[in-house]
Amino acid sequence: MNRRKFLQTAALALLLSLTARAEDWPQFRGPLGNGVAQEDKAPLHWGPGKNVRWKAKLPGPGNSSPIVSRGRVFVTCAEDEGKKRNLYCFDRRTGKELWVRTVEFPSVEPTHQSNPYCASTPAADGARVVVWHGSAGVFCYDFDGKELWKTDLGAVRNEWGYGSSPILHRGKVILNFGPGDRAFLATLDLKSGKLLWKYDEPGGPKTVLKGNSGSWSTPIVAQVGGEDQILCSMLTRVVACDPKTGACLWFLEGLAEEKVDLVYASPVVSGGIGVAFTGWGNGPTIGFKLGGAGDVTASNRLWLTRQPQRIGSGVVVDGCVFIVNAGPGTAQCIECQTGKVRWTERLDGGESWGSVVMAAGRLYVTSRRGVTTVFRPDPEKLDVLAMNDLGEPSNATPAISDGQIFLRTDGHLYCIAEK
């Protein structure tokens, strides 16, 4: 094969690979971890008897979300009060269960009835799928279900259980391990499971004399000054780490609350600005500039406001973050630069623990009642386009891939597709 032909073939292979990956939803909140699907088509209307391509039965409820990678749909679900922790693999076209891998864990670790075991969403790269089963460890399988490695990072102990999800970045698995007395950011090698580095957050729960504390926030990767940095909302502050070494590059205080320290949502980024959220009602939300070195609280924090209870993460569109709150069941549009709330409106579908996602220029969020509200990212008003009720409770976030939506409820995994 001559050089020109080789380059053409290589370019075509790369294009096909990128196209395939662009259609996937391989981790929590999508390919870039920002809740946005690069899709120009997505279902608008569905219900129990409408636009359901298939549904697969699950053995019980769970707060983890489905992911989609190379023709497979993965989701976690526990049995036997958490003593069996399952990773399910389904055929995305038919909904057929291809395999299930079960980790036996006879010990009892604390959690809350509203957060069943297997609360962590898996992550995949098209050949490997990684799942965190809390105290049982981190496991990696190939797409045929063969176990490739497992890594024990220790026990997780918190009365509300665990729920942060691993993300993949340049051959690494990045995880916010905790909450509990042991809380840290960890990076594992995707091929071997070897622990590459661990960043222990100073001033953990033992030093916080409050009713409850912990970070369940899933990290994100942000471009800061042309370099990738890992951003995570930890117990009381936002931390930025070097993905290669784990060194803390900079941090920003402002997430501490008066009565408790609870963080659920991932931070969001708009250009050079970040927004981070806490979880308790009347807790702080902060806006800040990205970058710097060491403690940048004084120089980088732009604003701090008080918020309703928030569990799910938001989506940024044109400098505004659209987010749906838990307790009051309201949607909000907030300016990232100033913290100004452009509007707050109650959703008829009820409160949501799942995150907002975006596809085809529309925002989607599923309530705890199982109602998915579809609305426009309009900074002037709440513009609801559809409300779709599956009639089953859900705490999960939709996955959107190749014009289809994958939804997890307490009883089933659904594939939604318009004819």
Side-chain angles (χ1 to χ4, degrees), residues 85-235:
R85 305 188 182 188
N86 302 317
L87 174 66
Y88 287 86
C89 176
F90 296 92
D91 186 299
R92 74 162 292 164
R93 186 176 59 86
T94 65
K96 177 183 177 182
E97 183 184 303
L98 299 178
W99 49 263
V100 57
R101 294 296 175 264
T102 300
V103 174
E104 303 276 356
F105 191 71
S107 302
V108 177
E109 63 184 359
T111 194
H112 192 269
Q113 62 181 4
S114 64
N115 184 31
Y117 300 98
C118 290
S120 182
T121 298
D125 71 344
R128 305 173 188 85
V129 56
V130 176
V131 60
W132 180 41
H133 283 315
S135 299
V138 184
F139 294 78
C140 180
Y141 304 90
D142 68 17
F143 273 31
D144 292 323
K146 177 184 176 182
E147 184 181 300
L148 301 177
W149 52 261
K150 59 183 177 182
T151 300
D152 182 2
L153 292 175
V156 185
R157 299 196 66 83
N158 184 278
E159 64 182 284
W160 292 93
Y162 65 96
S164 180
S165 299
I167 63 171
L168 304 183
H169 176 66
R170 299 187 183 277
K172 299 180 178 69
V173 182
I174 301 166
L175 176 67
N176 177 17
F177 182 96
D181 291 338
R182 299 174 65 253
F184 52 84
L185 286 176
T187 289
L188 309 176
D189 180 81
L190 178 58
K191 290 184 178 180
S192 67
K194 177 184 177 182
L195 179 64
L196 299 177
W197 57 257
K198 185 163 71 82
Y199 167 74
D200 291 292
E201 174 68 355
K206 285 185 176 180
T207 68
V208 182
L209 301 178
K210 299 178 181 179
N212 197 359
S213 60
S215 169
W216 292 258
S217 178
T218 295
I220 65 169
V221 178
Q223 278 269 313
V224 182
E227 300 289 337
D228 289 344
Q229 295 184 3
I230 300 169
L231 267 61
C232 192
S233 296
M234 302 299 282
L235 189 63

Side-chain angles (χ1 to χ4, degrees), residues 348-416:
D348 291 339
E351 68 167 331
S352 295
W353 284 15
S355 297
V356 180
V357 296
M358 181 175 179
R362 302 189 289 257
L363 298 170
Y364 295 75
V365 67
T366 302
S367 74
R368 301 193 70 191
R369 284 169 34 201
V371 178
T372 302
T373 301
V374 188
F375 59 105
R376 298 186 196 277
D378 187 334
E380 302 300 326
K381 63 183 184 301
L382 174 64
D383 184 3
V384 175
L385 300 174
M387 294 181 63
N388 304 297
D389 191 352
L390 285 173
E392 298 179 16
S394 175
N395 284 334
T397 297
I400 304 178
S401 169
D402 199 18
Q404 298 176 330
I405 294 178
F406 297 86
L407 282 171
R408 187 259 179 83
T409 67
D410 279 4
H412 295 89
L413 174 65
Y414 286 85
C415 175
I416 308 297

